[in-house]
Amino acid sequence: MLTQSLYKKFVFTFLLSAVFTISLAQEKHLKNIQKLTNGGDNAEAYFSPNSKLLTLQVSNPKANIPCDQIYLYDLQNKTYSSDNLKLISTGKGRTTCSYFMPDGKHILYASTHAASSECPAPPKSKDGKYLWAVYPEFDIYMADLNGKIVKQLTNSPGYDAEAVVSPDGKKIAFTSSRSGDLELWTMDIDGTNLKQITNGLGYDGGSFFSHDSKKLVFRSSRPKTEKEIADYKALLNENVVAPTEMEIYTCNVDGTNLKQITNLGKANWAPFFHPSDKKIIFSSNHHSTRGYDFQLYMIDSNGENLEQITYESEFNAFPMFSPDGKKLVFSSNRQQSAARETNVFIADWIDTDATEIAKTANLKKNISFLASDDLKGRLTGSKEETVAANYLVKQFKSLNLKPYDGASYIQDFSYKVKLNPHDTIANSGVNNTGKNVIAFLDNKANKTIVIGAHYDHLGLNEHNNSSKVNSVGDIHNGADDNASGVSGILELARMYSQNKTIENVNYIFALFSGEEDGLIGSKHMAETLKNKYPNVISMINMDMIGRLNDKKELTVGGIGTSPEFKNLVEKNKPAGFNLTLDESGIGPSDHTSFYLKDIPVLFFFTGTHTDYHKPSDDEDKINYTGTKNIVDYVFRVCNSIANLDKVEFVKTKSNTTKKGAKYKVSLGIMPDYTDTGDGLHVDGVTDDRPAQKAGIEAGDVIIKIGTCEIKEVYGYMECLAKLNSGDEVPVTFIRNGERKTVTVKF
């Protein structure tokens, strides 16, 4: 990301708006979504073998259903409503986990009715933990579709529930505490031949068979530390579990070949095999950064290619494919008519092209190469820039993309680089050259989208753009800035060029050099872009997308440059992301060059950090899961822009026209460029500079320098302009809510 001096960075400061957390649907796998129930808590709906019926559990005190009972739902009645529900459990006690038998005329379910006709008390939260009850009174029964129990399949002390039937009709799998722990068991379809399948400490449950009946997929909590083990055992002794840390596992039906599929953290549960048996759909809140939020995801059975399926509402779970694979039924809080209401939904399932999912392995390969010591920081004009450019050309050629202009992917340019960042003399500096690398995907469309990122960085700090003092000669690898964005462009180029779809838009994949010296490469391309491609409808820029933080904060700039952009950006947001939206088309990166040519732009950026423009910006600090999610996000946004009838350009308001104050001193900090209005947030502190010597740290919020009140960056600049070298003034800041004042010598 561009910096020639702190002043230039300030000139390009973001004008950021409020944080948006709206979660709207972009559910390409789900078509014709229809709500089947209307009120209460309706969940765990599962298809009959002929796909004409569902069995599900319902609780709804307003309808005189005080706790979960099993109901039959007739899908042949196209008037979808709760009127289609028929009680087929006893109406006594509490029930759970119903499932059709192979004949389609009987169901399995677990019930406590034999112990008591009353609803057992739900568990109370303990130490703030959400708890699930594992009632020891549960036993498994088989009933006909009129509710008559025809057989009791279990009758042992402890929890027996969560029973499902193999597609070949030979086995029943269920969860039981009969061994002293919550393990998976199987029995023959008649209840004989009991076998324990899992034996690791922890809750193994919610299992389902693969379509070929050879494997089981299930959720599992596997406590590892002494405290986790002690807590799990103590809760189990009270017949409860805390389902907040669960991962998805598979194993053979006999228990062999146990594999952990997810390693996402938090609660991953309700898994079900995709009809191909090569993927698993499940519910997860691993993405959540605030509150209660479960979305459906799908993952390959080898643990790769995680894909978000649902985007709407804050609870989506219990997915099941119909036997023919054409439908998906699931439970969701969407379309609520009352708080805490969960209903059952059915949708047509649409398989999509697996090519259109970003691959973490590809991102890592490209970042690792570009940010290696061998490339010595990819300084514009260096021989290592040429090595990087040749590598990028090779990637584009492998995808059978065309050169942007003529026969070469390389676009050469020349300019003067100022080796003194404080040099303000026009046309001064030394001569330098650079190479843009640009490819074209020709879909024979009448409109084009540019997707770009800069691949140059600071080299050995020959151009004096480092934020670390005395760092000339140190390799600045620039893994985040901006090998991360380049890797995203290469993945998008692969996704668009290798997928099965011919989009109604052409794509230009542009990798710029000279960005760190003042957006030189992108300016050069933008000068002639409209002459070569008159109908460019948008430019998408990714600069520093590799360091998504724990709060999943992502800035998206340029949303005001076209009327539909804000809606598209919000609609396609990945689950759990917290967006900061900036309307301005001008920012500290290459999209500015295109905005100034009246082209609508969007800019994706995960923020600065303490390694920004330092030798420590290395590959091992990249958040690859976050980078993958951002690339998938940009893919969805680009598709949405391509489908617009018209992309209108709008000039945006910007404080960048405000004259920046000239100053003779520096505090030696890296600011957070978000304008929060409560002071200047310090992202990083430069060693051996005034701030560090005075004890100011990253995370502090500077609110006053001398007599100057600091609310935003221009106030900070104006204050610096009043100071001279050698001045000593008090600087006041907030640290962890506490106000502190130190004396700084400039």
Side-chain angles (χ1 to χ4, degrees):
M1 180 164 291
L2 167 67
T3 186
Q4 263 187 285
S5 66
L6 193 58
Y7 167 72
K8 178 158 281 192
K9 196 66 171 182
F10 286 151
V11 170
F12 280 40
T13 297
F14 295 121
L15 309 173
L16 300 177
S17 58
V19 173
F20 288 80
T21 56
I22 301 170
S23 183
L24 300 173
Q26 181 65 10
E27 299 171 335
K28 61 185 178 182
H29 286 281
L30 307 178
K31 302 295 183 185
N32 302 320
I33 300 174
Q34 299 193 58
K35 184 178 179 181
L36 300 185
T37 59
N38 49 14
D41 194 359
N42 307 268
E44 299 195 52
Y46 303 122
F47 284 99
S48 62
N50 63 6
S51 301
K52 294 180 179 180
L53 302 170
L54 293 174
T55 180
L56 66 152
Q57 66 188 43
V58 179
S59 66
N60 189 351
K62 292 182 179 179
N64 199 29
I65 311 170
C67 62
D68 292 329
Q69 292 296 321
I70 306 303
Y71 283 77
L72 191 70
Y73 193 100
D74 186 359
L75 290 171
Q76 297 174 95
N77 186 338
K78 296 302 182 181
T79 305
Y80 294 139
S81 77
S82 293
D83 294 339
N84 291 348
L85 291 170
K86 173 187 174 183
L87 179 67
I88 52 174
S89 58
T90 63
K92 300 176 181 179
R94 183 184 294 272
T95 65
T96 191
C97 303
S98 55
Y99 207 83
F100 276 95
M101 294 294 283
D103 63 3
K105 299 178 181 179
H106 296 83
I107 64 162
L108 294 174
Y109 68 93
S111 178
T112 66
H113 71 269
S116 172
S117 61
E118 300 299 317
C119 292
K124 295 181 180 179
S125 176
K126 189 172 185 179
D127 299 325
K129 292 181 179 178
Y130 172 64
L131 301 175
W132 278 352
V134 285
Y135 299 110
E137 298 86 1
F138 268 135
D139 275 307
I140 300 171
Y141 299 86
M142 181 167 61
D144 64 23
L145 301 189
N146 290 314
K148 179 182 178 182
I149 292 177
V150 298
K151 190 172 187 177
Q152 182 173 347
L153 292 173
T154 63
N155 188 18
S156 64
Y159 179 83
D160 290 309
E162 305 175 35
V164 293
V165 181
S166 62
D168 64 10
K170 295 179 180 179
K171 292 283 185 183
I172 295 171
F174 64 104
T175 296
S176 177
S177 62
R178 62 185 63 207
S179 67
D181 191 20
L182 289 164
E183 307 285 5
L184 293 184
W185 289 69
T186 63
M187 55 184 166
D188 289 348
I189 201 72
D190 60 0
T192 63
N193 194 23
L194 280 163
K195 289 185 178 180
Q196 184 175 339
I197 302 304
T198 59
N199 50 34
L201 182 69
Y203 172 31
D204 298 335
S207 68
F208 289 96
F209 287 91
S210 59
H211 292 77
D212 61 8
S213 302
K214 294 180 179 180
K215 288 185 174 292
L216 289 168
V217 62
F218 59 98
R219 62 184 178 232
S220 180
S221 65
R222 295 292 175 98
K224 295 179 176 62
T225 67
E226 288 186 11
K227 184 179 186 308
E228 288 172 345
I229 292 170
D231 288 348
Y232 171 76
K233 288 182 175 179
L235 290 174
L236 186 60
N237 191 52
E238 299 177 22
N239 299 311
V240 293
V241 292
T244 54
E245 298 289 337
M246 297 186 294
E247 301 289 351
I248 306 300
Y249 286 73
T250 61
C251 68
N252 294 335
V253 172
D254 62 2
T256 60
N257 197 26
L258 178 70
K259 291 183 179 180
Q260 183 175 341
I261 305 303
T262 63
N263 191 21
L264 299 172
K266 297 191 179 180
N268 305 278
W269 59 298
F272 198 88
F273 278 106
H274 179 269
S276 68
D277 285 339
K278 296 179 180 179
K279 298 174 182 287
I280 296 161
I281 192 170
F282 63 101
S283 181
S284 177
N285 71 338
H286 76 273
H287 56 269
S288 179
T289 54
R290 58 180 70 189
Y292 176 81
D293 185 6
F294 285 89
Q295 302 297 334
L296 296 183
Y297 287 83
M298 194 157 60
I299 195 168
D300 290 354
S301 56
N302 62 2
E304 297 178 356
N305 294 323
L306 182 69
E307 180 183 9
Q308 187 177 338
I309 304 300
T310 59
Y311 289 79
E312 188 171 338
S313 89
E314 292 190 338
F315 181 79
N316 298 274
F318 306 114
M320 181 192 183
F321 289 100
S322 60
D324 61 9
K326 294 180 179 180
K327 299 282 187 180
L328 185 81
V329 66
F330 63 103
S331 298
S332 178
N333 288 156
R334 64 186 66 201
Q335 300 178 31
Q336 285 182 327
S337 58
R340 303 181 65 83
E341 181 179 283
T342 304
N343 286 294
V344 173
F345 293 79
I346 193 169
D348 296 332
W349 177 261
I350 308 297
D351 274 319
T352 58
D353 189 348
T355 306
E356 297 180 346
I357 302 173
K359 296 185 181 298
T360 303
N362 293 345
L363 296 169
K364 185 174 180 63
K365 178 192 73 172
N366 292 317
I367 293 175
S368 297
F369 177 82
L370 293 168
S372 66
D373 284 351
D374 290 342
L375 265 69
K376 296 183 180 179
R378 311 182 306 278
L379 183 75
T380 306
S382 68
K383 64 179 183 181
E384 288 78 22
E385 179 208 29
T386 300
V387 173
N390 290 340
Y391 175 84
L392 299 173
V393 168
K394 183 179 178 181
Q395 304 309 306
F396 285 152
K397 283 183 176 179
S398 72
L399 299 173
N400 295 317
L401 295 170
K402 296 180 179 180
Y404 164 72
D405 184 24
S408 177
Y409 298 87
I410 300 291
Q411 184 183 59
D412 294 307
F413 58 89
S414 60
Y415 66 107
K416 288 183 180 293
V417 60
K418 297 179 186 296
L419 300 183
N420 179 356
H422 300 290
D423 183 357
T424 59
I425 301 173
N427 299 317
S428 64
V430 300
N431 293 326
N432 200 29
T433 61
K435 304 176 187 295
N436 292 333
V437 184
I438 315 174
F440 180 61
L441 175 60
D442 188 359
N443 286 322
K444 309 300 181 186
N446 61 5
K447 54 186 178 180
T448 300
I449 293 176
V450 178
I451 310 178
H454 76 91
Y455 73 93
D456 66 306
H457 196 51
L458 308 188
L460 307 183
N461 195 28
E462 296 95 328
H463 295 177
N464 297 307
N465 286 327
S466 178
S467 62
K468 181 182 179 183
V469 296
N470 302 321
S471 61
V472 173
D474 294 343
I475 299 174
H476 291 63
N477 282 321
D480 184 29
D481 187 11
N482 181 35
S484 65
V486 175
S487 72
I489 299 301
L490 293 177
E491 261 305 87
L492 289 166
R494 179 194 64 80
M495 293 157 71
Y496 278 119
S497 64
Q498 305 302 301
N499 65 359
K500 299 172 184 176
T501 302
I502 298 177
E503 289 81 17
N504 62 350
V505 66
N506 308 313
Y507 282 99
I508 295 172
F509 303 102
L511 301 173
F512 310 111
S513 193
E515 191 268 359
E516 301 289 6
D517 291 331
L519 315 183
I520 307 298
S522 59
K523 289 176 185 175
H524 181 79
M525 179 188 174
E527 286 295 329
T528 59
L529 175 62
K530 286 188 174 181
N531 294 334
K532 300 177 188 299
Y533 296 91
N535 197 14
V536 172
I537 61 172
S538 183
M539 189 275 171
I540 312 296
N541 181 29
M542 291 189 287
D543 192 353
M544 297 176 65
I545 61 166
R547 298 286 286 270
L548 190 72
N549 62 21
D550 291 342
K551 296 179 181 179
K552 299 186 179 178
E553 294 171 324
L554 177 70
T555 294
V556 184
I559 65 156
T561 62
S562 190
E564 296 297 325
F565 278 4
K566 180 175 181 289
N567 176 54
L568 297 183
V569 164
E570 290 174 341
K571 181 178 73 172
N572 289 285
K573 179 179 75 73
F577 272 48
N578 293 304
L579 300 184
T580 298
L581 302 184
D582 171 17
E583 292 200 354
S584 176
I586 292 180
S589 191
D590 290 304
H591 59 287
T592 300
S593 300
F594 297 87
Y595 168 78
L596 295 175
K597 298 298 180 182
D598 295 344
I599 295 172
V601 297
L602 287 173
F603 170 42
F604 293 81
F605 170 55
T606 54
T608 55
H609 41 75
T610 56
D611 300 305
Y612 171 72
H613 274 202
K614 291 181 181 177
S616 52
D617 181 9
D618 285 324
E619 182 273 331
D620 60 353
K621 297 175 182 176
I622 296 295
N623 177 348
Y624 281 105
T625 299
T627 305
K628 172 200 158 15
N629 287 339
I630 292 168
V631 175
D632 285 332
Y633 180 22
V634 173
F635 182 81
R636 294 192 299 273
V637 169
C638 285
N639 289 342
S640 296
I641 294 173
N643 290 329
L644 292 174
D645 293 332
K646 182 180 180 181
V647 183
E648 178 186 350
F649 174 74
V650 176
K651 284 190 177 294
T652 57
K653 294 180 180 180
S654 171
N655 283 342
T656 56
T657 57
K658 180 177 178 179
K659 183 176 176 61
K662 293 182 179 180
Y663 51 91
K664 300 178 286 293
V665 298
S666 169
L667 188 56
I669 64 168
M670 179 57 61
D672 175 354
Y673 296 104
T674 304
D675 185 1
T676 56
D678 62 348
L680 189 73
H681 291 240
V682 179
D683 250 5
V685 178
T686 304
D687 294 340
D688 297 322
R689 299 298 296 278
Q692 192 262 343
K693 290 178 179 179
I696 296 172
E697 301 175 356
D700 293 344
V701 182
I702 297 172
I703 59 174
K704 193 172 185 180
I705 297 177
T707 59
C708 304
E709 301 288 341
I710 308 298
K711 296 187 180 297
E712 38 76 39
V713 295
Y714 286 103
Y716 172 66
M717 291 167 59
E718 289 168 0
C719 188
L720 291 185
K722 300 174 183 178
L723 298 173
N724 296 299
S725 179
D727 287 351
E728 292 188 45
V729 298
V731 174
T732 303
F733 56 89
I734 305 296
R735 179 182 296 167
N736 299 324
E738 184 180 350
R739 186 184 179 103
K740 294 178 177 288
T741 300
V742 296
T743 298
V744 174
K745 182 176 181 179
F746 286 88

